Amino acid sequence: MHKLTAFWLILLLSLFFHSADAQVRDSIMRDSLRTDSLRKDSIRIRLDSIKIDTNLLNRFRIEPGRNILPVHLQPLNLQPEYIPVPGLDYKVSYWRNNVLFGFNLNQSAFSNNWSAGGVSSIAVGTNFDYKTEYNKDGKDFTSELILLYGKVKNQGQVQRKTNDRIFWDNKVSINFSKHWDFYGSLSFESQFDDGFTYSNDINVRPVLISRFMAPGYLTESIGFEYKPVTYFSMRFGTGTARQTFVLSNSVYPSDTATVYGVRYGRHVLNQLAFQIVSNFDKDIAKNVNLKARYLIFIPYDTPLNMTHRIDGTLTAKVNRLVNVSIIGTLLYDPNTSKRVQAYQSLALGITYKFPYYR
């Protein structure tokens, strides 16, 4: 009896403790789940509060290959191939040449009974400008030839010159700095035809005052040349000699006269001087070119008797062949006149300029 009572007592205690232990385990599990849930909620809240820049994720993007199919590359077999090349006969030309030719014609005619009056006339003018230049390794040779000639014939009058000039300039220079050269030059100037002075009285015969080599000028010069840009240069001729020729006695009014600084019967005047020559040649606007040359000649023996000469040509291109040109000259030479001499002409005609190379 006592044994049976003890058995049931032990069984009840074991069930009690097993039930209590299960309740404790359930409580612990519920607390753990509640804690995990709170932790996940807090983590979710923190993740939701973070701002993520999706552009930064592109750094970690792995692009798939362009060709997802396998490609089997064949090995390249390279070997030299010899191709015959024919001989090329190329030559470098250091010469630059330009030629300009112009022709102007002006003509007018009137009938004998033209009520407004007028005089029939015809005028012809030509100009030729040839320039060649050789430049290599700082050594330069330039030669320029300018020829001008024109005449006009009015009804009832003898024909008269409107322009007449021969000018030939040659220069050799050696470059010794960026903008400075040492140069030597030789130039010649004269005219083609006889020149006259005319009186208002038609009964008075014209007077001959000039002809070829009366006068004629030959100038030798050495010095330094300054060329800051391609379109402008200035020569300083520290050693310059000029010979003035009057080879015809018919231009002298008497056998005691002096013309162009040369006495009758002597024919040549030699002078040593300091000379400055400036050249400007540039397109100042579209189809408009300005070419100018200024010369000052200062004799060492008589420095006050200096000579000034300005030559200018303004050319406006109408089309490929037709140009309008204005030519002008200002000259002060005490050996020919104590006053400033001036010449100007306006022409519309055919002018053709072409560069060629050899």
Side-chain angles (χ1 to χ4, degrees):
M1 182 68 179
H2 291 289
K3 293 181 180 181
L4 181 61
T5 302
F7 172 77
W8 284 111
L9 181 61
I10 293 171
L11 180 60
L12 289 175
L13 289 174
S14 63
L15 289 176
F16 173 77
F17 285 110
H18 179 72
S19 175
D21 183 58
Q23 290 179 358
V24 171
R25 286 198 305 268
D26 291 341
S27 176
I28 294 172
M29 185 176 296
R30 283 194 301 270
D31 293 340
S32 176
L33 290 177
R34 187 180 298 108
T35 302
D36 292 341
S37 178
L38 292 175
R39 185 180 301 166
K40 289 181 180 179
D41 291 340
S42 62
I43 293 175
R44 186 179 300 111
I45 291 172
R46 287 197 298 271
L47 290 176
D48 292 342
S49 63
I50 296 176
K51 294 182 180 180
I52 300 176
D53 188 358
T54 57
N55 293 326
L56 299 177
L57 298 178
N58 293 329
R59 299 180 181 179
F60 305 99
R61 179 177 296 174
I62 300 177
E63 298 289 343
R66 295 185 178 181
N67 191 356
I68 61 176
L69 297 178
V71 178
H72 300 284
L73 298 178
Q74 297 295 332
L76 296 178
N77 185 15
L78 301 178
Q79 59 183 1
E81 292 289 341
Y82 297 97
I83 302 176
V85 179
L88 301 178
D89 189 17
Y90 287 147
K91 295 182 180 179
V92 178
S93 177
Y94 299 97
W95 289 90
R96 182 178 179 86
N97 304 275
N98 291 280
V99 177
L100 185 146
F101 175 77
F103 178 80
N104 305 309
L105 176 65
N106 186 6
Q107 185 268 339
S108 62
F110 302 89
S111 63
N112 295 330
N113 60 343
W114 184 255
S115 60
V119 176
S120 299
S121 65
I122 182 171
V124 177
T126 60
N127 64 284
F128 178 81
D129 189 345
Y130 172 78
K131 184 176 182 180
T132 182
E133 182 177 0
Y134 176 85
N135 195 316
K136 180 182 178 182
D137 298 332
K139 303 177 181 64
D140 181 86
F141 168 73
T142 304
S143 179
E144 184 174 13
L145 176 64
I146 299 176
L147 306 176
L148 301 173
Y149 189 74
K151 273 199 169 184
V152 60
K153 176 66 172 68
N154 296 325
Q155 186 178 8
Q157 297 179 348
V158 297
Q159 60 183 6
R160 304 181 181 186
K161 289 194 306 182
T162 58
N163 202 357
D164 190 4
R165 189 188 186 199
I166 303 172
F167 179 73
W168 187 24
D169 182 59
N170 302 274
K171 176 180 66 72
V172 177
S173 63
I174 299 176
N175 181 262
F176 65 88
S177 70
K178 184 176 180 180
H179 299 303
W180 287 91
D181 296 347
F182 178 78
Y183 84 93
S185 66
L186 175 67
S187 62
F188 169 78
E189 185 173 3
S190 188
Q191 61 190 49
F192 289 101
D193 204 358
D194 296 344
F196 299 87
T197 58
Y198 301 92
S199 173
N200 295 328
D201 188 354
I202 61 175
N203 296 321
V204 178
R205 296 184 60 182
V207 178
L208 178 68
I209 59 172
S210 65
R211 61 188 350 168
F212 178 72
M213 291 302 293
Y217 301 95
L218 185 65
T219 305
E220 308 90 13
S221 179
I222 59 173
F224 302 93
E225 183 177 29
Y226 177 61
K227 298 174 66 175
V229 289
T230 57
Y231 55 84
F232 175 78
S233 65
M234 180 176 290
R235 304 181 198 172
F236 299 91
T238 54
T240 302
R242 185 175 73 175
Q243 296 80 44
T244 304
F245 298 92
V246 180
L247 303 183
S248 175
N249 292 331
S250 59
V251 299
Y252 288 92
S254 65
D255 57 2
T256 60
T258 299
V259 296
Y260 305 109
V262 182
R263 294 180 182 178
Y264 180 84
R266 301 193 64 173
H267 303 301
V268 180
L269 173 65
N270 291 294
Q271 293 177 294
L272 294 177
F274 175 75
Q275 178 178 265
I276 297 177
V277 179
S278 300
N279 289 283
F280 181 88
D281 188 354
K282 183 183 180 182
D283 292 337
I284 58 176
K286 185 178 181 181
N287 297 329
V288 179
N289 177 266
L290 175 61
K291 185 176 182 180
R293 185 177 189 268
Y294 170 69
L295 178 144
I296 179 172
F297 184 85
I298 307 174
Y300 286 128
D301 56 346
T302 56
L304 296 180
N305 292 333
M306 61 183 66
T307 299
H308 301 267
R309 179 175 181 129
I310 301 176
D311 296 283
T313 302
L314 182 65
T315 304
K317 185 177 181 181
V318 179
N319 55 37
R320 184 178 180 182
L321 293 178
V322 179
N323 285 354
V324 178
S325 60
I326 301 176
I327 302 174
T329 300
L330 290 176
L331 173 63
Y332 175 75
D333 187 354
N335 291 329
T336 59
S337 176
K338 298 301 181 180
R339 300 168 57 189
V340 176
Q341 305 173 59
Y343 160 77
Q344 180 270 329
S345 68
L346 172 64
L348 172 63
I350 298 175
T351 302
Y352 187 71
K353 181 179 180 179
F354 56 95
Y356 69 95
Y357 305 91
R358 68 177 185 180

Coordinates of all heavy atoms in Angstrom, one line a residue, residues 162-224:
T162 N 51.1 109.7 -121.4 CA 50.4 109.8 -120.1 C 51.2 109.1 -119.0 O 51.0 109.3 -117.8 CB 49.1 109.2 -120.2 OG1 49.2 107.8 -120.7 CG2 48.2 109.9 -121.2
N163 N 52.1 108.2 -119.4 CA 52.9 107.4 -118.4 C 54.1 106.8 -119.1 O 54.0 106.4 -120.3 CB 52.1 106.3 -117.7 CG 52.7 106.0 -116.3 OD1 53.8 106.5 -115.9 ND2 52.0 105.1 -115.6
D164 N 55.3 106.8 -118.4 CA 56.5 106.3 -119.0 C 57.5 106.0 -117.9 O 58.0 106.9 -117.3 CB 57.0 107.3 -120.1 CG 58.1 106.7 -120.9 OD1 58.4 105.5 -120.7 OD2 58.7 107.4 -121.7
R165 N 57.8 104.7 -117.7 CA 58.7 104.4 -116.7 C 59.3 103.0 -116.9 O 58.6 102.1 -117.3 CB 58.1 104.4 -115.3 CG 59.1 104.3 -114.1 CD 58.5 104.1 -112.8 NE 59.4 104.1 -111.7 CZ 59.2 103.7 -110.5 NH1 58.0 103.2 -110.2 NH2 60.2 103.7 -109.6
I166 N 60.6 102.9 -116.6 CA 61.4 101.6 -116.6 C 62.0 101.5 -115.2 O 62.8 102.4 -114.8 CB 62.4 101.5 -117.7 CG1 61.8 101.7 -119.1 CG2 63.2 100.2 -117.6 CD1 62.9 101.8 -120.2
F167 N 61.7 100.5 -114.5 CA 62.3 100.4 -113.1 C 62.7 98.9 -112.9 O 61.8 98.0 -113.1 CB 61.3 100.8 -112.0 CG 61.9 100.6 -110.7 CD1 62.9 101.5 -110.2 CD2 61.4 99.6 -109.8 CE1 63.4 101.3 -108.9 CE2 61.9 99.5 -108.6 CZ 62.9 100.3 -108.1
W168 N 63.9 98.6 -112.6 CA 64.4 97.3 -112.4 C 65.2 97.3 -111.1 O 66.2 98.0 -111.0 CB 65.3 96.8 -113.6 CG 65.7 95.4 -113.5 CD1 65.1 94.4 -112.8 CD2 66.8 94.8 -114.2 NE1 65.7 93.2 -113.0 CE2 66.8 93.4 -113.9 CE3 67.8 95.3 -115.0 CZ2 67.7 92.5 -114.3 CZ3 68.8 94.4 -115.5 CH2 68.7 93.0 -115.1
D169 N 64.8 96.4 -110.1 CA 65.4 96.4 -108.8 C 65.8 95.0 -108.5 O 65.0 94.0 -108.7 CB 64.4 96.9 -107.7 CG 65.0 96.9 -106.4 OD1 66.0 97.6 -106.2 OD2 64.5 96.2 -105.5
N170 N 67.1 94.8 -108.1 CA 67.6 93.5 -107.7 C 68.2 93.5 -106.3 O 68.9 94.5 -106.0 CB 68.7 93.1 -108.7 CG 68.2 93.0 -110.2 OD1 67.7 92.0 -110.6 ND2 68.4 94.1 -110.9
K171 N 68.0 92.5 -105.5 CA 68.4 92.5 -104.2 C 68.9 91.1 -103.8 O 68.2 90.1 -104.0 CB 67.4 93.0 -103.2 CG 67.7 92.9 -101.7 CD 66.6 93.4 -100.9 CE 65.4 92.5 -100.9 NZ 65.7 91.2 -100.2
V172 N 70.0 91.0 -103.1 CA 70.5 89.8 -102.5 C 70.7 90.0 -101.0 O 71.3 91.0 -100.6 CB 71.9 89.3 -103.1 CG1 72.4 88.1 -102.4 CG2 71.7 89.1 -104.6
S173 N 70.2 89.1 -100.2 CA 70.2 89.3 -98.7 C 70.5 87.9 -98.0 O 70.2 86.9 -98.5 CB 68.9 89.8 -98.2 OG 67.8 88.9 -98.4
I174 N 71.1 88.1 -96.9 CA 71.5 86.9 -96.0 C 70.9 87.2 -94.6 O 71.2 88.2 -94.0 CB 73.0 86.7 -95.9 CG1 73.6 86.4 -97.3 CG2 73.3 85.6 -95.0 CD1 75.1 86.3 -97.3
N175 N 70.1 86.3 -94.1 CA 69.5 86.5 -92.8 C 70.5 86.2 -91.7 O 71.2 85.1 -91.7 CB 68.3 85.5 -92.7 CG 67.5 85.7 -91.4 OD1 67.7 84.9 -90.5 ND2 66.7 86.7 -91.3
F176 N 70.6 87.1 -90.7 CA 71.4 86.8 -89.5 C 70.7 86.9 -88.2 O 71.3 86.7 -87.2 CB 72.6 87.8 -89.5 CG 72.3 89.2 -89.4 CD1 72.1 89.8 -88.1 CD2 72.0 90.0 -90.5 CE1 71.8 91.1 -88.0 CE2 71.7 91.4 -90.3 CZ 71.6 91.9 -89.1
S177 N 69.4 87.3 -88.2 CA 68.6 87.2 -87.0 C 67.1 87.0 -87.5 O 66.8 86.8 -88.7 CB 68.7 88.5 -86.2 OG 68.1 89.6 -86.8
K178 N 66.2 87.1 -86.5 CA 64.8 86.7 -86.9 C 64.2 87.7 -87.9 O 63.5 87.2 -88.8 CB 64.0 86.7 -85.6 CG 62.5 86.3 -85.8 CD 61.8 86.2 -84.5 CE 60.3 85.7 -84.7 NZ 59.6 85.7 -83.4
H179 N 64.5 89.0 -87.7 CA 63.8 90.0 -88.6 C 64.8 90.8 -89.4 O 64.4 91.8 -90.0 CB 62.9 90.9 -87.8 CG 61.8 90.2 -87.1 ND1 60.9 89.4 -87.8 CD2 61.5 90.1 -85.8 CE1 60.0 88.9 -86.9 NE2 60.3 89.3 -85.7
W180 N 66.1 90.5 -89.3 CA 67.1 91.4 -89.9 C 68.0 90.6 -90.9 O 68.3 89.4 -90.7 CB 68.1 92.0 -88.8 CG 67.4 93.0 -88.0 CD1 66.7 92.9 -86.8 CD2 67.4 94.4 -88.3 NE1 66.3 94.1 -86.4 CE2 66.6 95.1 -87.3 CE3 67.8 95.2 -89.4 CZ2 66.4 96.4 -87.3 CZ3 67.6 96.6 -89.3 CH2 66.9 97.2 -88.3
D181 N 68.2 91.3 -92.0 CA 69.1 90.7 -93.1 C 70.2 91.7 -93.4 O 70.0 92.9 -93.3 CB 68.3 90.4 -94.4 CG 67.2 89.3 -94.1 OD1 67.3 88.7 -93.1 OD2 66.3 89.2 -95.0
F182 N 71.3 91.2 -93.9 CA 72.3 92.0 -94.6 C 72.1 91.9 -96.1 O 72.0 90.8 -96.6 CB 73.7 91.5 -94.2 CG 74.8 92.3 -94.8 CD1 75.1 93.6 -94.3 CD2 75.5 91.8 -95.9 CE1 76.2 94.3 -94.9 CE2 76.5 92.5 -96.5 CZ 76.8 93.8 -96.0
Y183 N 72.0 93.0 -96.7 CA 71.6 93.0 -98.2 C 72.6 93.8 -99.0 O 73.3 94.7 -98.5 CB 70.2 93.5 -98.3 CG 70.1 95.0 -98.4 CD1 70.1 95.7 -99.7 CD2 70.0 95.8 -97.3 CE1 70.1 97.1 -99.7 CE2 69.9 97.2 -97.3 CZ 70.0 97.8 -98.6 OH 69.9 99.2 -98.7
G184 N 72.5 93.5 -100.3 CA 73.2 94.3 -101.3 C 72.2 94.4 -102.5 O 71.6 93.4 -102.9
S185 N 72.0 95.6 -103.1 CA 71.0 95.8 -104.1 C 71.6 96.6 -105.3 O 72.6 97.4 -105.1 CB 69.8 96.5 -103.6 OG 70.1 97.8 -103.2
L186 N 71.0 96.5 -106.4 CA 71.3 97.2 -107.6 C 70.0 97.5 -108.3 O 69.2 96.6 -108.6 CB 72.2 96.4 -108.5 CG 72.6 97.0 -109.9 CD1 73.4 98.2 -109.7 CD2 73.3 96.0 -110.8
S187 N 69.8 98.8 -108.6 CA 68.5 99.2 -109.3 C 68.8 100.2 -110.4 O 69.8 100.9 -110.4 CB 67.6 99.9 -108.3 OG 68.2 101.1 -107.7
F188 N 67.9 100.1 -111.4 CA 68.1 100.9 -112.6 C 66.7 101.6 -112.9 O 65.7 100.9 -112.7 CB 68.5 100.1 -113.8 CG 68.4 100.8 -115.1 CD1 69.4 101.8 -115.5 CD2 67.4 100.6 -116.0 CE1 69.3 102.5 -116.7 CE2 67.3 101.2 -117.2 CZ 68.2 102.2 -117.5
E189 N 66.7 102.9 -113.3 CA 65.5 103.6 -113.6 C 65.7 104.5 -114.8 O 66.7 105.2 -114.8 CB 65.0 104.3 -112.4 CG 63.6 105.0 -112.6 CD 63.0 105.6 -111.4 OE1 63.7 105.5 -110.3 OE2 61.9 106.1 -111.4
S190 N 64.7 104.5 -115.7 CA 64.8 105.4 -116.8 C 63.4 105.5 -117.5 O 62.4 105.2 -116.8 CB 65.9 105.1 -117.9 OG 66.0 106.1 -118.8
Q191 N 63.3 105.8 -118.8 CA 62.0 105.9 -119.5 C 62.2 105.4 -120.9 O 63.3 105.2 -121.4 CB 61.5 107.3 -119.5 CG 62.5 108.3 -120.2 CD 62.1 109.7 -120.0 OE1 61.8 110.2 -118.9 NE2 62.0 110.5 -121.1
F192 N 61.1 105.1 -121.6 CA 61.1 104.6 -123.0 C 61.2 105.7 -124.0 O 62.1 105.7 -124.9 CB 59.8 103.8 -123.3 CG 59.8 102.5 -122.6 CD1 59.0 102.4 -121.4 CD2 60.4 101.4 -123.0 CE1 58.9 101.2 -120.7 CE2 60.4 100.2 -122.4 CZ 59.6 100.1 -121.2
D193 N 60.4 106.7 -123.9 CA 60.1 107.6 -125.0 C 60.5 109.1 -124.6 O 60.8 109.4 -123.4 CB 58.6 107.6 -125.4 CG 58.4 108.1 -126.8 OD1 59.3 108.5 -127.5 OD2 57.2 108.1 -127.2
D194 N 60.6 109.9 -125.6 CA 60.9 111.3 -125.4 C 59.8 112.0 -124.6 O 58.6 111.7 -124.8 CB 61.1 112.1 -126.7 CG 62.3 111.5 -127.5 OD1 63.1 110.8 -126.9 OD2 62.4 111.8 -128.7
G195 N 60.2 113.0 -123.8 CA 59.2 113.8 -123.0 C 59.3 115.2 -123.4 O 60.4 115.8 -123.6
F196 N 58.1 115.9 -123.4 CA 58.1 117.3 -123.9 C 57.2 118.1 -122.9 O 56.4 117.5 -122.1 CB 57.4 117.4 -125.3 CG 58.1 116.6 -126.4 CD1 57.9 115.3 -126.6 CD2 59.1 117.3 -127.1 CE1 58.5 114.6 -127.6 CE2 59.8 116.6 -128.2 CZ 59.5 115.3 -128.4
T197 N 57.5 119.4 -122.9 CA 56.6 120.3 -122.3 C 55.8 121.0 -123.4 O 56.3 121.3 -124.5 CB 57.3 121.4 -121.5 OG1 58.3 122.1 -122.3 CG2 58.1 120.7 -120.3
Y198 N 54.5 121.3 -123.1 CA 53.6 121.8 -124.1 C 53.1 123.2 -123.7 O 52.8 123.4 -122.5 CB 52.4 120.9 -124.4 CG 52.9 119.5 -124.8 CD1 53.1 118.5 -123.9 CD2 53.0 119.2 -126.2 CE1 53.5 117.2 -124.3 CE2 53.4 117.9 -126.6 CZ 53.7 117.0 -125.7 OH 54.1 115.7 -126.1
S199 N 52.9 124.1 -124.7 CA 52.4 125.4 -124.4 C 50.9 125.5 -124.8 O 50.4 124.7 -125.6 CB 53.2 126.4 -125.3 OG 52.6 127.7 -125.2
N200 N 50.2 126.4 -124.1 CA 48.8 126.6 -124.5 C 48.6 127.1 -125.9 O 47.6 127.0 -126.5 CB 48.2 127.5 -123.5 CG 48.1 126.9 -122.1 OD1 48.0 125.7 -121.9 ND2 48.2 127.8 -121.0
D201 N 49.7 127.7 -126.4 CA 49.6 128.2 -127.8 C 50.0 127.1 -128.7 O 51.1 126.5 -128.7 CB 50.6 129.4 -127.9 CG 50.5 130.1 -129.3 OD1 49.7 129.6 -130.2 OD2 51.2 131.1 -129.5
I202 N 49.0 126.7 -129.6 CA 49.3 125.6 -130.5 C 50.3 125.9 -131.5 O 50.9 125.0 -132.2 CB 47.9 125.2 -131.2 CG1 47.4 126.4 -132.0 CG2 46.9 124.7 -130.2 CD1 46.2 126.0 -132.8
N203 N 50.7 127.2 -131.7 CA 51.7 127.5 -132.7 C 53.1 127.4 -132.1 O 54.1 127.5 -132.9 CB 51.5 129.0 -133.1 CG 50.2 129.2 -133.9 OD1 49.8 128.3 -134.7 ND2 49.5 130.3 -133.6
V204 N 53.2 127.2 -130.8 CA 54.5 127.0 -130.2 C 54.9 125.5 -130.2 O 54.1 124.7 -129.7 CB 54.6 127.6 -128.8 CG1 55.9 127.3 -128.1 CG2 54.2 129.0 -128.8
R205 N 56.0 125.2 -130.7 CA 56.4 123.8 -130.7 C 56.8 123.2 -129.3 O 57.3 124.0 -128.5 CB 57.7 123.6 -131.6 CG 57.4 124.0 -133.1 CD 58.6 123.7 -133.9 NE 59.0 122.3 -133.9 CZ 60.1 121.8 -134.5 NH1 60.9 122.6 -135.2 NH2 60.3 120.5 -134.4
P206 N 56.5 122.0 -129.1 CA 56.9 121.4 -127.8 C 58.4 121.4 -127.6 O 59.2 121.3 -128.5 CB 56.3 119.9 -127.9 CG 55.3 120.0 -128.9 CD 55.7 121.0 -129.9
V207 N 58.8 121.4 -126.3 CA 60.2 121.5 -126.0 C 60.6 120.1 -125.4 O 60.0 119.6 -124.5 CB 60.5 122.6 -125.0 CG1 61.9 122.6 -124.6 CG2 60.0 124.0 -125.5
L208 N 61.6 119.5 -126.0 CA 62.2 118.3 -125.5 C 62.9 118.5 -124.1 O 63.8 119.3 -124.0 CB 63.1 117.7 -126.5 CG 63.8 116.3 -126.1 CD1 62.8 115.2 -126.1 CD2 64.9 116.0 -127.1
I209 N 62.5 117.7 -123.1 CA 63.1 117.8 -121.8 C 63.6 116.5 -121.3 O 64.4 116.5 -120.3 CB 62.1 118.4 -120.8 CG1 60.8 117.5 -120.7 CG2 61.7 119.8 -121.1 CD1 59.9 117.8 -119.6
S210 N 63.3 115.3 -121.9 CA 63.8 114.1 -121.4 C 63.7 113.0 -122.5 O 62.9 113.2 -123.4 CB 63.0 113.6 -120.1 OG 61.6 113.3 -120.5
R211 N 64.4 112.0 -122.4 CA 64.4 110.8 -123.3 C 65.1 109.7 -122.6 O 65.5 109.8 -121.4 CB 65.0 111.2 -124.6 CG 66.5 111.6 -124.6 CD 67.0 112.1 -125.9 NE 66.2 111.9 -127.0 CZ 66.3 112.4 -128.2 NH1 67.4 113.2 -128.4 NH2 65.5 112.2 -129.2
F212 N 65.2 108.5 -123.3 CA 65.9 107.4 -122.7 C 67.3 107.7 -122.2 O 68.1 108.2 -123.0 CB 65.8 106.2 -123.6 CG 66.5 105.0 -123.1 CD1 65.9 104.2 -122.1 CD2 67.8 104.6 -123.6 CE1 66.5 103.1 -121.6 CE2 68.4 103.4 -123.1 CZ 67.8 102.7 -122.1
M213 N 67.6 107.4 -121.0 CA 68.9 107.6 -120.3 C 69.2 109.1 -120.2 O 70.4 109.5 -120.1 CB 70.0 106.9 -121.0 CG 70.0 105.4 -120.8 SD 70.0 104.8 -119.1 CE 71.6 105.3 -118.6
A214 N 68.2 109.9 -120.3 CA 68.4 111.3 -120.1 C 67.1 111.9 -119.3 O 66.2 112.5 -120.0 CB 68.6 112.1 -121.4
P215 N 66.9 111.6 -118.1 CA 67.9 111.0 -117.2 C 67.8 109.5 -117.1 O 66.8 108.9 -117.4 CB 67.6 111.7 -115.9 CG 66.1 111.8 -115.9 CD 65.8 112.1 -117.3
G216 N 68.8 108.9 -116.6 CA 68.8 107.5 -116.2 C 69.6 107.4 -114.8 O 70.5 108.1 -114.6
Y217 N 69.1 106.4 -114.0 CA 69.6 106.3 -112.6 C 70.1 104.9 -112.4 O 69.4 103.9 -112.7 CB 68.6 106.7 -111.6 CG 68.1 108.1 -111.7 CD1 66.9 108.4 -112.4 CD2 68.8 109.2 -111.2 CE1 66.4 109.7 -112.5 CE2 68.3 110.5 -111.3 CZ 67.1 110.7 -112.0 OH 66.6 112.0 -112.1
L218 N 71.3 104.8 -111.9 CA 71.8 103.5 -111.5 C 72.3 103.6 -110.0 O 73.1 104.4 -109.7 CB 73.0 103.1 -112.4 CG 73.6 101.7 -112.1 CD1 72.6 100.6 -112.5 CD2 74.9 101.5 -113.0
T219 N 71.7 102.7 -109.2 CA 71.9 102.9 -107.7 C 72.4 101.5 -107.2 O 71.8 100.5 -107.4 CB 70.7 103.3 -107.0 OG1 70.1 104.5 -107.6 CG2 70.9 103.5 -105.5
E220 N 73.6 101.6 -106.5 CA 74.1 100.4 -105.8 C 74.1 100.7 -104.3 O 74.4 101.8 -103.8 CB 75.6 100.2 -106.2 CG 75.8 100.1 -107.7 CD 76.1 101.4 -108.3 OE1 76.4 102.4 -107.5 OE2 76.1 101.5 -109.5
S221 N 73.6 99.7 -103.5 CA 73.4 100.0 -102.1 C 73.7 98.7 -101.3 O 73.4 97.6 -101.7 CB 72.0 100.4 -101.8 OG 71.8 100.6 -100.4
I222 N 74.4 98.9 -100.1 CA 74.6 97.8 -99.1 C 74.1 98.3 -97.8 O 74.2 99.5 -97.5 CB 76.0 97.3 -99.1 CG1 76.9 98.4 -98.7 CG2 76.4 96.6 -100.4 CD1 78.4 98.0 -98.5
G223 N 73.6 97.4 -97.0 CA 73.1 97.8 -95.6 C 72.4 96.7 -95.0 O 72.6 95.5 -95.2
F224 N 71.4 97.1 -94.2 CA 70.6 96.2 -93.4 C 69.1 96.3 -93.8 O 68.6 97.4 -94.0 CB 70.8 96.4 -91.9 CG 72.2 96.3 -91.5 CD1 73.1 97.4 -91.5 CD2 72.8 95.1 -91.2 CE1 74.4 97.3 -91.1 CE2 74.1 94.9 -90.8 CZ 74.9 96.1 -90.8

